Amino acid sequence: MADRKTSTAAAPQAVAPRRINHIVLNVRDIEESHQFWTEIVGLKQVATLRPRPGVTLPKMRFYSADHEGKYTHHDIALVESPNVPAPTDWKLSGGSVAVNHIAMQLSDREAWLKQLEFLQSRGVKFNWRVNHGVTHSVYINDPNGYGVEFLYELPREMWENDIQGAIDYLENLPTEGPEALVDRTDSPSFGQREPVAVPAE
């Protein structure tokens, strides 16, 4: 009888993805959501799910962010689902929808400040303005009660050596009036001996 050899091979592990590719949202009214995601968020519709003979398909549309002047097949897709509950104002905890929020990264601080000004000019309510240790962010509602975060990411050297410390940092900021459009550049660094300045545009 052959000897059984004890396996010394490591147990199989999941292969880490490179990034999240896309998210699909159920929405009550696809026209209402289309208007929000194109006019307020600024995504571009790149495709529609077209009818096919003998197949029942939902109303579904596909949207891309600007990837350095190029578009992808979709970052966000919308599926019309009339049973989605009536929306409520977004909050970080205790919400009634399964998706908490979707974070939209702006190219830099200047673009983010322009987006804040645009949102305020359109009467969009800021549910939360906050400086995190990794981003500066504003949170708003989509028409279905999902949160949408607009952010710009702080330089990696400010947080990569102490991600936990950076995540623990939180500075609440005004959500109304001119004060809601002010962005300070004296954010703390984490895991660094010397502070790293946020680039001012």
Side-chain angles (χ1 to χ4, degrees):
M1 186 168 132
D3 292 337
R4 290 187 176 177
K5 294 183 179 179
T6 304
S7 174
T8 57
Q13 294 183 346
V15 177
R18 290 183 62 195
R19 61 184 176 87
I20 295 172
N21 187 273
H22 65 270
I23 186 167
V24 179
L25 297 174
N26 291 327
V27 300
R28 291 176 304 119
D29 181 329
I30 202 161
E31 296 299 339
E32 177 187 47
S33 291
H34 169 83
Q35 185 176 6
F36 173 83
W37 287 97
T38 57
E39 295 181 17
I40 300 300
V41 177
L43 298 184
K44 178 180 175 62
Q45 182 182 345
V46 293
T48 302
L49 192 62
R50 294 180 177 174
R52 298 174 190 174
V55 181
T56 302
L57 295 172
K59 291 181 182 176
M60 186 172 184
R61 297 181 188 174
F62 303 83
Y63 301 83
S64 176
D66 181 346
H67 297 268
E68 299 180 351
K70 297 181 180 179
Y71 295 104
T72 187
H73 48 78
H74 62 302
D75 296 299
I76 299 276
L78 306 177
V79 178
E80 189 167 76
S81 303
N83 293 331
V84 170
T88 57
D89 279 349
W90 176 87
K91 50 190 175 181
L92 187 59
S93 64
S96 60
V97 290
V99 174
N100 187 289
H101 69 275
I102 300 104
M104 309 301 293
Q105 182 172 336
L106 279 294
S107 57
D108 54 29
R109 179 175 180 266
E110 181 180 8
W112 181 77
L113 285 168
K114 285 181 181 177
Q115 180 67 1
L116 261 61
E117 187 175 356
F118 166 74
L119 293 171
Q120 196 177 75
S121 76
R122 293 289 296 264
V124 175
K125 179 183 176 184
F126 292 3
N127 291 318
W128 191 25
R129 260 289 321 275
V130 60
N131 287 353
H132 296 298
V134 292
T135 67
H136 287 188
S137 303
V138 64
Y139 295 78
I140 68 170
N141 266 69
D142 98 318
N144 299 279
Y146 305 128
V148 178
E149 175 187 6
F150 290 98
L151 66 88
Y152 75 90
E153 193 163 280
L154 299 176
R156 287 186 64 87
E157 58 266 25
M158 294 181 70
W159 50 263
E160 68 180 342
N161 292 326
D162 184 8
I163 293 174
Q164 183 63 57
I167 294 293
D168 287 341
Y169 179 79
L170 186 117
E171 178 189 10
N172 290 317
L173 297 168
T175 57
E176 297 179 351
E179 298 82 9
L181 304 178
V182 174
D183 182 55
R184 297 200 335 263
T185 59
D186 58 347
S187 298
S189 297
F190 300 89
Q192 301 286 323
R193 293 183 180 178
E194 300 294 331
V196 179
V198 176
E201 301 297 332

